[in-house]
Amino acid sequence: MQAIAFYKAEPLLSQLPNESIRALAMRGRILRFKANFQIITQGQVGQDLFVVLDGKLEAYVHSSGRKERRLSLANLYAGDIFGEGAVDGGQRMASVCTVSSSLCAMVQAAVFRDQRTRDARLQD
């Protein structure tokens, strides 16, 4: 599994080794989604992040203004992470929906924080 650079650039994930992403996926709740299913919605508050295990998803934002437009940010595949803004109780910065049938691990914020603590101990 390899997280795409777009998400590895996020402050919460920039130091997270790929082994930790695998560990997070194993500790998460496995969810199966049909094609064209909206998993998270921009602006909502959440407490989970997701690791894509299989399938294709799209991350996008809605612009505000006279004409609302959908701006695609990235396609997500196995090993990619989304929803990471929720681990600190923040609002979702983007929406994510499935393009094809997909399998994801939903990871609670507490599990993510625990994994970061474990990683920090290994670096000491």
Side-chain angles (χ1 to χ4, degrees), residues 57-78:
L57 299 88
E58 178 189 16
Y60 60 92
V61 294
H62 286 283
S63 65
S64 57
R66 295 180 81 197
K67 273 190 171 179
E68 189 170 304
R69 294 184 178 178
R70 179 173 158 160
L71 174 63
S72 181
L73 299 174
N75 286 321
L76 308 172
Y77 301 96

Side-chain angles (χ1 to χ4, degrees), residues 19-87:
E19 296 79 32
S20 294
I21 295 171
R22 286 186 199 93
L24 282 172
M26 290 175 24
R27 296 173 69 192
R29 181 173 160 218
I30 306 301
L31 302 173
R32 188 173 306 275
F33 300 102
K34 294 180 180 180
N36 300 313
F37 183 83
Q38 183 140 351
I39 299 173
I40 63 173
T41 302
Q42 179 181 344
Q44 290 183 336
V45 176
Q47 289 296 315
D48 306 304
L49 62 88
F50 297 81
V51 178
V52 180
L53 302 175
D54 190 35
K56 180 180 177 183
L57 299 88
E58 178 189 16
Y60 60 92
V61 294
H62 286 283
S63 65
S64 57
R66 295 180 81 197
K67 273 190 171 179
E68 189 170 304
R69 294 184 178 178
R70 179 173 158 160
L71 174 63
S72 181
L73 299 174
N75 286 321
L76 308 172
Y77 301 96
D80 293 336
I81 296 175
F82 64 94
E84 69 282 353
V87 298

Side-chain angles (χ1 to χ4, degrees), residues 8 13-23 115 119 123:
K8 290 291 274 188
L13 302 174
S14 62
Q15 303 301 316
L16 197 61
N18 288 336
E19 296 79 32
S20 294
I21 295 171
R22 286 186 199 93
Q115 185 65 47
D119 293 340
Q123 291 179 359

